[in-house]
Amino acid sequence: MSKKEEKPYILSRPLTLIYKLPISKTLPFWEGLKQGKFMTTKCKKCGRITFPPQADCPSCYSSEVEWVELSKEAELVTATAIMVKPSSFAQEETYIVAVAKLKEGPKAVGWLKGVKPDPAELKEKIKPGMKLKVETIVPKEGSPYYVFVPA
Amino acid sequence: MRRVAVVGVGHSKFGRRDDVNLGELAFESIKPALEDAGLAPEDIPLLVVGNAGFCEEMLPAVAIADYAELYNAELMRVEAACATSSAALAAAYNAVSSGKVDIAMVVGCEKMTELDTPYIVELIGRSGFFFWEFQHFGLTFPGYYALHATAYMNQYGATEEHLAMVAVKNHKYAVTNPYAQFRQEITIEQVLKSPYIAWPLKLFDCCPITDGSATVILAAEEQAKKLTDTPVWVEAIEGCAGSANLSKRESFVGLKAAQVAAERAFKRAKITPDKIDVANVHDCFTIAELMAMEDIGFCGRGEAYKLVEEGQTYIGGKIPINVDGGLKAKGHPIGATGTSMIYSLTKQLRGEYIKSNQAPIKHGYALAHNVGGTGHYAYITILSRK
């Protein structure tokens, strides 16, 4: 697939967009991560545990939800390793993104650490049911987050 | 509801189109569609533009309508990620079917290459569930589908070779499609040797970044019969939403939204999947074509890769799929993909498609399967020549 010569163009005026993402209604989740806790919401009316947390129950539409601490125990559902990264992740080493089923029922998406993102190793190790645990991370810069690691 | 037919179609060359801007690119499909239908710009009372939004024009519908001076039309822009122009088609269909207008034009147009590739990867990645999946974990679109590929291969025993077979077929049919981005055959070995983009998907499992446009003109039955001897009827256009957040997904071996949309479409058209002569499915990644075959009901769960292995998705097989090259090799200009599928299938049902790519039309039905996101949106359109 030969590279064709670029056609004439004019560069647009540059624009950098940085959005402020509201977290008022999920604050206990973010505060919890800082204390090593993995928190989410549970509906007081129908009992549904949601992940990610949300202030309004998507099952019964009640807005009476309580915050509960999750056990951090999980099982792998599926995973991928991101070799070609978005521009804002360009500085990261190849990372594995997993979907895991939490012991309490809901699933969660997050990075899987502790497995080498090498195709041969991935093929051998990435199997549904692999036992995982959740670890909370508080980086020097940016917001806290969580990762999965093999249990 | 009135019967609605496709009476005109037009298609631009797909690829890296850095020789044209948005309006110029749209014009390349608007003009032939009007000529195909025998209509003038002032005959269009409704223009629905499908554009997902990757170029600098903040109001793409306005830029397109202005370039072609389609000033007589009520104008709107529709977005449904990669199913954008199928959603636009649904909006136009509803307006014609209800009797609000007799004719409507749908322009799918996307200009993606004005940004460099890393920014496009960034923007498309952000088009999933941004806050809980992209912000901290940097998922990309190949990554979203790779999660499904891992699950599918683990569950059914399909291999990376099976995925490669999909790419090989779609490249083969793109060779003779003058509008296609990649007009070269590839081999299974080339696919397997290509670098990983998002394990287990490799470069040749992925569709390219594409600029392109495709236009479809719809008319109500009475007008359609006056305009053309070969109306192609819209028997059904049905959609469904799916979970944006992958954590809310029950299964990763198929796309629920596409399954529901397909069930609704077959019910509306009153036919079964075995009556489809030719299909275009949303093969943004090779795994997506396998899941599509099962979600539509061309075969049972876990059977698609076996049909592919047998060559049943080539012309002459049980169900020819993506014989215009598909998203994989024809290219995937996000907002133009839905109408591009309708272009190919309309030509197929008229029996006037590229000779080497013409599928045998036995029952007179064709199906387009167009997914937005990883099943965040899904649309199934069934066309007929009856």
Side-chain angles (χ1 to χ4, degrees):
Chain A
M1 287 152 212
S2 61
K3 259 224 147 99
K4 275 191 289 179
E5 205 183 310
E6 263 193 300
K7 295 289 192 296
Y9 59 82
I10 291 172
L11 280 179
S12 75
R13 288 174 183 273
L15 173 67
T16 306
L17 299 171
I18 299 174
Y19 297 85
K20 291 175 181 168
L21 311 169
I23 54 165
S24 294
K25 292 201 170 191
T26 54
L27 201 58
F29 176 78
W30 304 103
E31 293 298 323
L33 288 178
K34 287 185 199 163
Q35 298 158 25
K37 289 181 182 169
F38 194 44
M39 307 287 289
T40 200
T41 46
K42 182 179 178 182
C43 178
K44 283 186 180 176
K45 206 171 155 195
C46 75
R48 167 142 174 207
I49 298 174
T50 35
F51 194 90
Q54 58 181 74
D56 307 290
C57 175
S59 287
C60 73
Y61 280 24
S62 166
S63 298
E64 288 196 24
V65 298
E66 59 184 335
W67 285 88
V68 292
E69 190 175 348
L70 297 163
S71 67
K72 297 188 181 171
E73 288 176 49
E75 270 185 17
L76 183 75
V77 176
T78 188
T80 177
I82 308 296
M83 278 80 172
V84 174
K85 296 177 277 288
S87 55
S88 64
F89 283 80
Q91 306 309 318
E92 300 283 345
E93 296 288 321
T94 297
Y95 45 86
I96 301 173
V97 183
V99 179
K101 190 171 167 55
L102 306 173
K103 193 186 164 195
E104 288 79 7
K107 297 186 186 81
V109 172
W111 278 351
L112 171 60
K113 296 282 187 181
V115 173
K116 212 170 116 197
D118 163 78
E121 185 155 335
L122 290 164
K123 202 172 174 182
E124 189 197 317
K125 294 203 171 158
I126 297 299
K127 297 289 171 201
M130 177 188 190
K131 301 281 180 215
L132 303 172
K133 61 179 197 263
V134 175
E135 279 184 4
T136 55
I137 309 277
V138 185
K140 280 190 192 116
E141 282 174 43
S143 53
Y145 62 100
Y146 60 90
V147 296
F148 300 110
V149 293
Chain B
M1 283 173 75
R2 301 193 290 178
R3 285 195 95 193
V4 177
V6 176
V7 295
V9 288
H11 205 288
S12 82
K13 171 88 176 89
F14 278 10
R16 184 183 176 81
R17 295 298 310 276
D18 54 0
D19 56 326
V20 285
N21 66 24
L22 187 73
E24 292 160 351
L25 183 60
F27 190 79
E28 290 184 21
S29 67
I30 292 171
K31 184 182 174 184
L34 282 170
E35 286 170 354
D36 190 30
L39 291 168
E42 56 272 21
D43 296 330
I44 305 298
L46 171 65
L47 170 59
V48 187
V49 170
N51 179 279
F54 288 91
C55 73
E56 191 47 84
E57 291 293 348
M58 287 291 285
L59 304 176
V62 174
I64 288 167
D66 191 71
Y67 191 83
E69 296 206 344
L70 288 154
Y71 296 141
N72 199 36
E74 175 184 341
L75 179 63
M76 67 172 82
R77 176 234 187 147
V78 167
E79 176 280 315
C82 309
T84 283
S85 52
S86 286
L89 189 73
Y93 171 86
N94 292 344
V96 177
S97 176
S98 70
K100 187 190 178 194
V101 289
D102 293 331
I103 288 167
M105 176 188 276
V106 184
V107 178
C109 189
E110 204 76 54
K111 205 68 207 349
M112 301 183 73
T113 67
E114 289 177 11
L115 287 168
D116 287 336
T117 300
Y119 293 101
I120 287 287
V121 172
E122 171 93 17
L123 285 176
I124 301 176
R126 284 170 176 246
S127 310
F129 198 96
F130 173 79
F131 187 68
W132 291 99
E133 288 169 0
F134 187 89
Q135 170 77 5
H136 294 100
F137 307 124
L139 259 175
T140 60
F141 249 86
Y144 282 107
Y145 272 95
L147 288 168
H148 290 76
T150 304
Y152 186 95
M153 293 195 295
N154 272 326
Q155 184 148 340
Y156 299 123
T159 64
E160 292 181 42
E161 281 85 346
H162 291 114
L163 298 181
M165 288 172 195
V166 173
V168 168
K169 170 182 63 72
N170 295 354
H171 269 261
K172 173 193 153 69
Y173 287 115
V175 172
T176 40
N177 181 352
Y179 298 131
Q181 183 161 2
F182 295 146
R183 301 186 61 192
Q184 286 125 313
E185 290 213 45
I186 54 168
T187 64
I188 287 182
E189 199 167 55
Q190 273 176 292
V191 182
L192 294 177
K193 278 187 179 162
S194 65
Y196 281 98
I197 300 293
W199 178 87
L201 299 179
K202 295 171 290 298
L203 180 64
F204 280 20
D205 287 305
C206 305
C207 67
I209 291 164
T210 310
D211 304 321
S213 80
T215 294
V216 172
I217 300 174
L218 298 178
E221 183 165 14
E222 197 182 324
Q223 286 73 20
K225 284 179 173 166
K226 282 183 205 156
L227 287 167
T228 176
D229 295 331
T230 54
V232 168
W233 301 101
V234 181
E235 298 292 344
I237 176 160
E238 295 287 333
C240 188
S243 69
N245 200 313
L246 295 178
S247 64
K248 289 188 179 178
R249 214 156 265 207
E250 289 161 33
S251 151
F252 291 85
V253 296
L255 303 177
K256 182 86 182 291
Q259 294 160 30
V260 175
E263 281 165 21
R264 288 176 181 170
F266 283 115
K267 194 176 168 198
R268 173 89 59 194
K270 298 187 182 75
I271 60 161
T272 45
D274 58 308
K275 295 291 184 292
I276 302 296
D277 293 320
V278 57
N280 267 71
V281 310
H282 199 88
D283 61 322
C284 47
F285 302 94
T286 48
I287 181 63
E289 183 160 321
L290 299 182
M291 293 196 296
M293 289 165 67
E294 297 173 13
D295 290 339
I296 293 164
F298 288 142
C299 57
R301 288 279 150 209
E303 290 174 4
Y305 75 92
K306 294 168 193 162
L307 283 186
V308 166
E309 199 175 62
E310 290 168 11
Q312 300 286 7
T313 51
Y314 282 82
I315 290 169
K318 273 185 189 156
I319 175 68
I321 290 176
N322 289 332
V323 295
D324 61 358
L327 284 60
K328 171 68 197 83
K330 182 181 63 178
H332 180 27
I334 290 181
T337 285
T339 38
S340 170
M341 290 177 172
I342 301 303
Y343 173 92
S344 296
L345 297 176
T346 297
K347 295 274 182 182
Q348 287 278 1
L349 288 176
R350 287 178 185 170
E352 60 183 40
Y353 200 47
I354 309 151
K355 225 173 175 183
S356 56
N357 299 38
Q358 175 71 51
I361 304 300
K362 290 176 243 166
H363 305 289
Y365 290 100
L367 179 145
H369 159 284
N370 191 195
V371 170
T374 335
H376 300 32
Y377 306 84
Y379 280 88
I380 303 281
T381 306
I382 297 175
L383 302 175
S384 89
R385 66 176 189 191
K386 293 183 175 180

